[in-house]
Amino acid sequence: MLIKIRSSADLPYSEVTPEHIYRSRRDFMKTAAAGAVGVLAGSVIGGNAGVLEAAQAGQLTARPPAKGSPFFGDPERDPLNTFEQITSYNNYYEFGTGKGDPARNAGRLTTKPWTVKVDGLVAKPGNYGVEDLVDFKQLEERVYRHRCVERWSMVIPYIGVPLSAVLAKVQPQPRAKFVSFETLVRPSEMNGLGSAGLQWPYVEGLRMDEAMHPLTLMAVGLYGKVLPNQNGAPLRVHIPWKYGFKSGKSIVRISLTESMPATTWAVQNSNEYGFYANVNPTVDHPRWSQAREKRLPGLFYDRPTQMFNGYGDQVASLYAGMDLRKFY
Ligand SMILES: Nc1nc2c(c(=O)[nH]1)N[C@H]1C(S)=C(S)[C@@H](COP(=O)(O)O)O[C@H]1N2
Ligand SMILES: [Mo]
């Protein structure tokens, strides 16, 4: 069944980086948290001044996270990385394996129009435009820690919707136990396909309860701006308690299945991490310890890695009874 293919040509876009908006908002929150300008924070921040300003500048608008929620993060412990850092140090092997390669090479990627094929165990399979899957009037900001299996980490203010809201549109059948995300393979625009040593397409996936978890985000932007190509435009998932490789970029297919999908990294390096790949300081990579991490732009592995990347309160129950060493 074909639903509809709509062009993404009307996706909002702007070159302006509203980083100052985000920084001032969060600095403001810090002061507010200290009690100094609580009333002002309640009316101005709660009233979403930063997002309004961004809207006037032609940016994506999004509901900011409530202070104290897991979506807000901890500005003291986890200050935001800059837009420059987040968009110049990337893993996106389709554009090369160097950290600067995606920023250098992903500019040629065409993201409009964009079609996502939804298939498998869903009531509404079909080809969807981005705006058919993501309600741009319901965007939320989520400040998430991002932890790569290589031990570097960042703090990123993503914009998106819960993946559960995307799945609600296509209606998984009760038999669906897993969801997988296949990402773009387009040799005419991707220069790194031949040299990365990976099999394409890049496929990652989640168990259904992981996919439906409120932390799991379908991201379409960051820093209030449409997602830069090197970060996975026009849409990528982000699962903040898992190693970064689980968060596939530039998604072109979403499949619902009864059996566990074969995912790129589990197939590629079956001796390293399995399907779940939850951040776990006690399970080392075969070639390095995961006990510590390097928070960019720092140079040293001086931060203790947090179990589930610090999101254990929210997600540990998903894995009750599972063998941590075997599956994480
Ligand atoms: N399609 C695709 N998705 C991908 C990757 C990739 O190489 N190709 N790299 C993964 C890895 S290893 C990480 S750490 C994150 C990096 O996301 P970022 O560059 O936006 O921070 O993307 C993940 N998603
Ligand atoms: Mo990664």
Side-chain angles (χ1 to χ4, degrees), residues 48-327:
N48 212 348
V51 171
L52 269 181
E53 194 182 333
Q56 282 156 7
Q59 305 288 337
L60 291 185
T61 60
R63 197 153 20 99
K67 187 156 62 84
S69 88
F71 307 150
F72 186 77
D74 181 340
E76 298 288 342
R77 274 184 51 103
D78 296 312
L80 297 182
N81 281 92
T82 65
F83 184 82
E84 165 69 18
Q85 290 158 358
I86 294 166
T87 59
S88 64
Y89 187 99
N90 299 98
N91 276 337
Y92 195 162
Y93 279 12
E94 291 87 332
F95 293 101
T97 53
K99 296 293 183 259
D101 288 340
R104 236 185 329 273
N105 300 323
R108 71 183 74 148
L109 177 67
T110 322
T111 57
K112 302 170 189 180
W114 193 269
T115 304
V116 181
K117 176 180 180 174
V118 179
D119 62 1
L121 300 172
V122 282
K124 297 183 162 181
N127 295 306
Y128 290 82
V130 175
E131 52 286 275
D132 300 323
L133 291 177
V134 174
D135 184 346
F136 279 75
K137 289 193 285 303
Q138 295 292 325
L139 295 179
E140 299 174 36
E141 182 190 52
R142 304 279 184 94
V143 178
Y144 279 166
R145 288 182 291 276
H146 173 87
R147 170 60 157 81
C148 177
V149 74
E150 299 161 338
R151 294 186 295 171
W152 54 270
S153 67
M154 292 202 215
V155 180
I156 304 177
Y158 282 111
I159 301 278
V161 296
L163 178 63
S164 62
V166 174
L167 293 175
K169 290 182 184 278
V170 302
Q171 299 178 14
Q173 295 171 11
R175 267 198 307 137
K177 300 275 188 306
F178 295 91
V179 56
S180 64
F181 307 95
E182 187 178 305
T183 79
L184 184 74
V185 185
R186 190 181 288 158
S188 60
E189 295 179 348
M190 293 172 148
N191 59 295
L193 294 170
S195 51
L198 280 185
Q199 279 186 21
W200 312 108
Y202 193 100
V203 178
E204 276 302 339
L206 298 169
R207 206 172 59 192
M208 212 52 197
D209 56 345
E210 300 178 313
M212 298 301 287
H213 192 280
L215 280 170
T216 302
L217 188 71
M218 182 64 91
V220 295
L222 59 83
Y223 265 119
K225 188 177 154 92
V226 169
L227 208 57
N229 289 354
Q230 60 267 39
N231 294 88
L235 78 171
R236 61 93 58 91
V237 281
H238 194 264
I239 307 112
W241 70 95
K242 291 180 180 284
Y243 290 121
F245 66 79
K246 294 298 293 180
S247 298
K249 295 177 164 181
S250 307
I251 292 166
V252 293
R253 183 178 175 190
I254 301 176
S255 305
L256 284 291
T257 55
E258 196 163 4
S259 53
M260 184 182 283
T263 49
T264 292
W265 286 105
V267 169
Q268 185 81 13
N269 291 325
S270 53
N271 64 325
E272 295 183 1
Y273 291 93
F275 177 83
Y276 288 94
N278 294 312
V279 175
N280 186 338
T282 71
V283 178
D284 291 338
H285 186 277
R287 297 194 299 279
W288 57 80
S289 161
Q290 290 291 15
R292 291 179 173 273
E293 67 189 46
K294 174 172 75 176
R295 174 62 52 81
L296 296 175
L299 300 175
F300 304 108
Y301 297 93
D302 55 1
R303 272 200 177 227
T305 300
Q306 300 183 76
M307 186 68 203
F308 296 113
N309 205 21
Y311 297 96
D313 289 358
Q314 280 79 51
V315 302
S317 61
L318 294 175
Y319 310 101
M322 283 174 63
D323 176 352
L324 304 193
R325 299 203 65 87
K326 184 155 178 240
F327 291 105

